[in-house]
C-alpha cells in the first residue's frame, strides 16, 4: 500500500475560440460588448460635426456632403443599430440593479423598466423639439 | 414512446485517458425516469466503473449537476422522456476541471465561498443570551430568494466570464454575499465591500444573464450582481463627495 498515492490528473477542458456562438445569449452579449465601439464612433462623429459648425458655413456644408456619402451612411446605420441594442439592453438591466421602494413596498421591476423607457422617450422628444422645431 | 433510449456518457479515466471519450449505453426509457435514474441504471446493471456524484434525488443537495445535451442541469430534475427518442448526451459540468468521468473538482469555489463571509456578522454583543433577532416577513423577503442557493455550480458552468477569468468570484458566491448583505440582522456589509467591489468581484461580471437562466432554484445571481454594482458605485461616489460621512 502506498502512503501517498499520486494526486489524480485533472482534465482541464480547453475553451473554444467560438464559445460565443454556442448560445444566442452569448452571441447577443458579445454584440452588446462590441456596441461600445459604435458608441465611441458616434461621439467622434458628433465632435467632427461640432468642429465643422465652429469652423463656419463652408466647413459645415463640406461635413454634410461627407456624411452623405454611401459608406458614411451605411456606417451610421449600422452604428445606430448597435447603439439601439446597447440602449435597450441597458434599460432591460436597470430594473435588475435598482430596487425602488414606495410606501414600504417594492415597486415591480417592470414599472422601473417602463419609467426608464418613458424618460428616454421624453428626452428624445425634447431633443427632437430643440433640433427640429426650435430653430 | 420507445422502450429504450441511448445515453452518450463522457468517460475520463485519469490513469489511462488523456482526454474524455464518449461511451454509449442503452437504458430503459420510462416516463418517471430522470437522467440520474438512467446513470444509476448504467452503474448498477451495465458498467460499475462509471463515476458520478449524486445524493438526494430531489433538487436539494446540489450534487448531480452535469451537462445534458449541452445545457447545465440537475440530472435528478431532468427527465429522459423529454429527450426521446434520443440520444441524450451527458457530460461533466463545463468550466471545471474533471476528476473522473462526470465528477468535477469544485475546489476553486470552496476557496472563494468563505472569502465573501457568508454568515451573519454582528457588531458587539451577539451572545445567545442577548435574545433573538426579530425579523418581519418583509425583511425576510428581501433576501429569501438568495438563500435558496444549493451550491450546485450550474451558474458557474453557464458563465462565460468564469470560463475566461477564473479569478472571478462567480455568481453563487456573490449571490450568497448578497443573501447576508440584505438580511436585516446582518451588520457586516462593509466587511464584504472591498472584495465584492474589486475587479474579481461584481465588476468582472458583464451581465450575460445565463447564470439566472441556469439556476434550478429560481435564484437570480445576475440580479444580485447588478444590484451590488449600484450599491458599490453609490458607495464609492459618496466616499468621494463626503469622505467623512461615508464610513
Amino acid at each position: 500500500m502506498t502512503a501517498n498515492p499520486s494526486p489524480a490528473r485533472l482534465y482541464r477542458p480547453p475553451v473554444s475560440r467560438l464559445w460565443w456562438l454556442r448560445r444566442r445569449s452569448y452571441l447577443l452579449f458579445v454584440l452588446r460588448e462590441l456596441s461600445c465601439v459604435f458608441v465611441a464612433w458616434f461621439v467622434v462623429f458628433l465632435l467632427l460635426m461640432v468642429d465643422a459648425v465652429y469652423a463656419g458655413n463652408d466647413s459645415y456644408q463640406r461635413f454634410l456632403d461627407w456624411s452623405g456619402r454611401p459608406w458614411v451612411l451605411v456606417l451610421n446605420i449600422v452604428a445606430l443599430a448597435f447603439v439601439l441594442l446597447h440602449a435597450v439592453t441597458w434599460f432591460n438591466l436597470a430594473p435588475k440593479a435598482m430596487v425602488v421602494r414606495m410606501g414600504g413596498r417594492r415597486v415591480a421591476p417592470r414599472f422601473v423598466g417602463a419609467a426608464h423607457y418613458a424618460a428616454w422617450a421624453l428626452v428624445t422628444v425634447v431633443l427632437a423639439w430643440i433640433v427640429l422645431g426650435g430653430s | 414512446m420507445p422502450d429504450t433510449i441511448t445515453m452518450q456518457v463522457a468517460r475520463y479515466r485519469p490513469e489511462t485517458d488523456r482526454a474524455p471519450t464518449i461511451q454509449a449505453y442503452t437504458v430503459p426509457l420510462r416516463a418517471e425516469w430522470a437522467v440520474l435514474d438512467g446513470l444509476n441504471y448504467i452503474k448498477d446493471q451495465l458498467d460499475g466503473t462509471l463515476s458520478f456524484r449524486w445524493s438526494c434525488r430531489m433538487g436539494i443537495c446540489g450534487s448531480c449537476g452535469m451537462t445534458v445535451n449541452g445545457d447545465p442541469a440537475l440530472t435528478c430534475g431532468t427527465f429522459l422522456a423529454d429527450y426521446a427518442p434520443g440520444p441524450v448526451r451527458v457530460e461533466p459540468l463545463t468550466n471545471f476541471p474533471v476528476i473522473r468521468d462526470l465528477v468535477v473538482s469544485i475546489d476553486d469555489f470552496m476557496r472563494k465561498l468563505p472569502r465573501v463571509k457568508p454568515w451573519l456578522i454582528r457588531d458587539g454583543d451577539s451572545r445567545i443570551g442577548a435574545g433573538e433577532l426579530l425579523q418581519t416577513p418583509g425583511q425576510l423577503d428581501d433576501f429569501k430568494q438568495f438563500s435558496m442557493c444549493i451550491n450546485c455550480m450550474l451558474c458557474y458552468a453557464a458563465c462565460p466570464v468564469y470560463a475566461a477569468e477564473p479569478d472571478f468570484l462567480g455568481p453563487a458566491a456573490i449571490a450568497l454575499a448578497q443573501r447576508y448583505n440584505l438580511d436585516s440582522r446582518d451588520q457586516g456589509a462593509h466587511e464584504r465591500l472591498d472584495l465584492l467591489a474589486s475587479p474579481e468581484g461584481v465588476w468582472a461580471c458583464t451581465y450575460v444573464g445565463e447564470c439566472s437562466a441556469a439556476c434550478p432554484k429560481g435564484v437570480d445571481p445576475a440580479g444580485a450582481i447588478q444590484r451590488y454594482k449600484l450599491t458599490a458605485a453609490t458607495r464609492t461616489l459618496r466616499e468621494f463627495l463626503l469622505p467623512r460621512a461615508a464610513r
Side-chain angles (χ1 to χ4, degrees):
Chain A
M1 189 179 134
T2 50
N4 287 312
S6 61
R9 200 159 44 86
L10 298 176
Y11 174 74
R12 294 175 192 278
V15 179
S16 159
R17 273 181 191 278
L18 298 176
W19 62 266
W20 45 277
L21 290 176
R22 260 184 40 217
R23 279 171 194 279
R24 194 174 161 273
S25 59
Y26 290 177
L27 179 66
L28 200 65
F29 150 69
V30 168
L31 290 176
R32 194 191 66 209
E33 295 292 290
L34 194 64
S35 67
C36 67
V37 176
F38 294 97
V39 173
W41 160 249
F42 268 159
V43 171
V44 171
F45 187 80
L46 183 71
L47 289 175
L48 288 173
M49 187 173 73
V50 169
D51 184 58
V53 169
Y54 180 74
N57 210 17
D58 289 351
S59 165
Y60 181 57
Q61 202 54 50
R62 275 199 303 281
F63 175 82
L64 286 184
D65 292 343
W66 173 78
S67 54
R69 286 185 190 182
W71 73 268
V72 183
L73 266 179
V74 169
L75 176 63
N76 277 341
I77 289 167
V78 173
L80 179 66
F82 271 98
V83 170
L84 283 175
L85 174 73
H86 191 99
V88 168
T89 48
W90 177 260
F91 285 131
N92 289 347
L93 183 153
K96 291 251 182 206
M98 294 178 73
V99 174
V100 183
R101 288 181 186 286
M102 279 171 91
R105 284 185 172 203
R106 184 177 173 178
V107 178
R110 64 176 184 279
F111 287 119
V112 177
H116 276 81
Y117 278 103
W120 186 20
L122 185 70
V123 170
T124 306
V125 167
V126 169
L127 282 177
W129 179 74
I130 292 170
V131 173
L132 301 174
S135 57
Chain B
M1 197 165 78
D3 292 342
T4 60
I5 189 167
T6 300
M7 293 182 74
Q8 299 175 335
V9 183
R11 302 297 310 268
Y12 172 66
R13 286 141 296 205
E15 319 82 57
T16 53
D17 300 345
R18 294 190 68 80
T21 54
I22 295 292
Q23 194 164 344
Y25 301 95
T26 302
V27 303
L29 179 58
R30 296 182 188 154
E32 72 279 10
W33 268 22
V35 172
L36 181 61
D37 294 309
L39 291 173
N40 274 324
Y41 178 86
I42 296 170
K43 177 99 178 163
D44 294 342
Q45 308 291 333
L46 306 177
D47 184 351
T49 67
L50 181 67
S51 297
F52 52 96
R53 285 199 186 107
W54 65 284
S55 180
C56 76
R57 298 195 299 178
M58 49 193 279
I60 291 296
C61 75
S63 316
C64 70
M66 296 170 210
T67 306
V68 181
N69 273 13
D71 294 324
L74 288 185
T75 49
C76 66
T78 308
F79 287 84
L80 283 174
D82 292 335
Y83 296 91
V88 53
R89 183 175 282 239
V90 186
E91 295 163 293
L93 278 181
T94 47
N95 300 342
F96 291 96
V98 183
I99 298 174
R100 174 183 290 275
D101 296 340
L102 300 166
V103 181
V104 294
S105 166
I106 58 166
D107 289 358
D108 181 56
F109 174 73
M110 298 309 284
R111 276 190 295 271
K112 284 171 180 166
L113 184 58
R115 292 180 64 205
V116 302
K117 303 190 178 182
W119 52 80
L120 285 183
I121 297 172
R122 299 283 301 171
D123 294 337
D125 193 358
S126 60
R127 284 174 304 172
I128 291 173
E132 66 271 60
L133 299 164
L134 299 177
Q135 198 162 54
T136 66
Q139 288 170 327
L140 174 66
D141 283 342
D142 284 343
F143 70 87
K144 190 177 175 192
Q145 180 221 138
F146 302 118
S147 73
M148 304 309 282
C149 174
I150 56 171
N151 301 348
C152 66
M153 303 289 101
L154 298 196
C155 54
Y156 284 74
C159 176
V161 176
Y162 181 61
E165 294 181 40
D167 287 339
F168 177 38
L169 275 178
I174 297 176
L176 283 166
Q178 280 290 66
R179 176 255 173 272
Y180 289 93
N181 279 344
L182 298 172
D183 190 325
S184 59
R185 299 165 298 176
D186 183 82
Q187 297 167 324
H190 61 283
E191 291 188 30
R192 302 184 189 99
L193 176 75
D194 285 345
L195 178 65
L196 291 180
S198 70
E200 70 204 81
V202 292
W203 299 114
C205 167
T206 47
Y207 189 49
V208 182
E210 277 297 294
C211 52
S212 298
C215 180
K217 303 303 286 185
V219 180
D220 180 10
I225 296 172
Q226 307 325 307
R227 199 170 158 186
Y228 199 81
K229 282 180 184 171
L230 191 62
T231 306
T234 313
R235 178 106 197 170
T236 308
L237 193 66
R238 219 169 47 200
E239 275 176 27
F240 180 70
L241 296 175
L242 305 161
R244 280 188 207 167
R247 286 276 170 190

